[in-house]
Amino acid sequence: MQSRKDLKRYNHRNNLYLIIAGIILILAVIFGVVLYNNHVASQKRAREFAVDHFNPNVTIYGVKVGNLTVNKATTKINTRANNMALLENGKVTIERDPDTTTIDADTVNTYFKEQHTSMPNKQGYTYDFKQLKAAAKKLKTISKAKITYQVAGKNYNLPAKKMVNQLTFKKGKYSFNNVENLTAKLNQIDKDVSTLHKSYTFAVPSNTKLNSNKITVKNQSYGWGVYIKKAQEAVEQAYLNQTKTIDGQDYIYGLGYSTYGLGYGKNNHGIGDNYVVVSLKKQEIWIVRKGKLAVHLTDVVTGTKDGGKGNRTPQGVWYIQDKQSPATLRGRNDDGSKYASKVQYWMPFTLSGCGLHDASWRTDWSKKAYLRGGSHGCVNIKPSEIKQVWHNVVKHEAVIVYN
């Protein structure tokens, strides 16, 4: 049986244990409360952080932007991301142009909204520069492209690998920065097929016989050439659109009143079956319609031969630029005085003012009238004969003037 002293000691020990247990419990509660409060605060901070910061594992255009704000992410991407696809001499690369803005804050904000969660998470988010990747793929296709340029019955191969020196994709568009090889090739094609200022043998009428007299003539305003700028633009667009062939007829030019080019695809050296022939030496004119002689006049008067070069009817192949009825011809006489001559029919064939017209004021229609008393360069036709000329001349048909 325990003594009172032992019992007292036992109770004292138990009370001490209870106090200690109570203290531990209190401390545990306090610690738990502190931990809870810290957790709540941490959660609050995390939620607040997630409001305007990317999740930790986010990559945009190859640049890590985890835990950054939209503005800071935008700056980092524009500083480090590739933003240009380049095709140069047949090789495609993806590079960075420091002078080109890669992305704007609105686009970055769009990606932010896609990955945003109320609390940060460690999930990975990757946003590729799809437009740039697609452009690089397209450039590789272009590098293998081969275009056939068809013009004047000939085919010319234009492989992009040799024609395109440099093609870039940036800021959402393709730019041909250097195509000097293509330009040189088109100039070569123009030299090969252009009919402007080209000389050739042509059979002109003699008396009433058609195509009986062969002469050498030279195209002046008549003819066509390759419009290099437009043709080059068409080829570049064909590379982008993966077009296989180009019709060169759509990209030609001409001289004089019409700038569209004349004679393309026509027979007879591009002259076709409708044309006018003027002989300065014979002072005669022939008009051919549909390959047959329609009009032959033996008493026309051309520009004054001995009155200075400015009064001579220019030789070469020109074309009927227009037809007017009636018309007033204006110019200056040799003494500098002005003249204004009314005519019933006017058919100009040079920009300098030479053309076919009636001349009611002329009295000398002899074969030698043009030597000293001819026109200022026009072909004078008797009023009684002008109508048949007017009705058989076609706008844009060739006018061949030879000696």
Side-chain angles (χ1 to χ4, degrees), residues 257-276:
Y257 187 75
S258 173
T259 57
Y260 296 105
L262 299 173
Y264 185 92
K266 289 185 177 181
N267 64 329
N268 211 9
H269 298 283
I271 300 296
D273 296 325
N274 298 316
Y275 55 92
V276 178

Side-chain angles (χ1 to χ4, degrees), residues 54 60 70 74 103-116 127:
F54 279 95
I60 299 177
V70 168
T74 302
I103 198 169
D104 55 46
D106 288 340
T107 304
V108 176
N109 191 52
T110 299
Y111 293 133
F112 175 80
K113 290 178 179 179
E114 289 183 12
Q115 61 82 57
H116 179 256
Y127 301 99

Side-chain angles (χ1 to χ4, degrees), residues 37 46 127 214 359 375:
N37 288 338
Y127 301 99
K214 290 187 177 181
S375 70

Side-chain angles (χ1 to χ4, degrees), residues 161-378:
K161 187 175 182 179
K162 294 183 178 180
M163 298 294 107
V164 180
N165 303 80
Q166 189 182 87
L167 168 59
T168 60
F169 173 85
K170 58 183 179 180
K171 295 183 179 180
K173 67 178 183 178
Y174 296 89
S175 299
F176 288 85
N177 306 103
N178 186 341
V179 285
E180 59 182 19
N181 289 354
L182 174 58
T183 304
K185 182 64 175 180
L186 290 173
N187 277 303
Q188 178 189 327
I189 294 173
D190 176 52
K191 186 177 180 180
D192 186 23
V193 300
S194 173
T195 62
L196 289 169
H197 307 303
K198 292 292 179 68
S199 297
Y200 49 92
T201 300
F202 190 82
V204 296
S206 176
N207 295 327
T208 58
K209 294 181 180 180
L210 185 63
N211 301 333
S212 61
N213 184 25
K214 290 187 177 181
I215 63 171
T216 298
V217 296
K218 183 178 182 180
N219 283 348
Q220 297 297 338
S221 61
Y222 191 82
W224 60 272
V226 177
Y227 195 160
I228 303 299
K229 180 182 178 181
K230 293 295 183 182
Q232 182 168 302
E233 291 174 352
V235 174
E236 292 173 356
Q237 198 60 46
Y239 286 138
L240 293 176
N241 296 340
Q242 300 181 36
T243 304
K244 300 296 183 182
T245 61
I246 292 179
D247 187 351
Q249 183 178 358
D250 297 331
Y251 309 100
I252 63 175
Y253 76 100
L255 300 176
Y257 187 75
S258 173
T259 57
Y260 296 105
L262 299 173
Y264 185 92
K266 289 185 177 181
N267 64 329
N268 211 9
H269 298 283
I271 300 296
D273 296 325
N274 298 316
Y275 55 92
V276 178
V277 178
V278 178
S279 170
L280 302 180
K281 185 176 181 179
K282 295 179 180 180
Q283 291 292 282
E284 296 184 22
I285 183 173
W286 296 263
I287 300 176
V288 177
R289 292 284 293 142
K290 298 181 180 179
K292 296 181 180 180
L293 186 61
V295 178
H296 177 213
L297 304 179
T298 61
D299 46 10
V300 300
V301 178
T302 60
T304 304
K305 182 177 180 181
D306 299 330
K309 189 175 181 181
N311 285 329
R312 297 176 184 175
T313 303
Q315 296 184 48
V317 184
W318 313 86
Y319 63 90
I320 299 295
Q321 297 183 354
D322 197 10
K323 295 178 69 177
Q324 299 176 26
S325 178
T328 299
L329 310 182
R330 303 180 187 278
R332 289 185 179 275
N333 294 304
D334 294 339
D335 60 5
S337 61
K338 295 181 180 180
Y339 69 82
S341 302
K342 292 184 178 181
V343 298
Q344 192 60 38
Y345 301 101
W346 169 233
M347 295 154 276
F349 57 80
T350 74
L351 286 178
S352 61
C354 296
L356 313 175
H357 66 80
D358 50 297
S360 59
W361 60 86
R362 176 170 292 283
T363 57
D364 185 1
W365 294 94
S366 67
K367 289 290 186 182
K368 295 183 179 180
Y370 82 104
L371 295 177
R372 289 183 175 82
S375 70
H376 291 94
C378 290

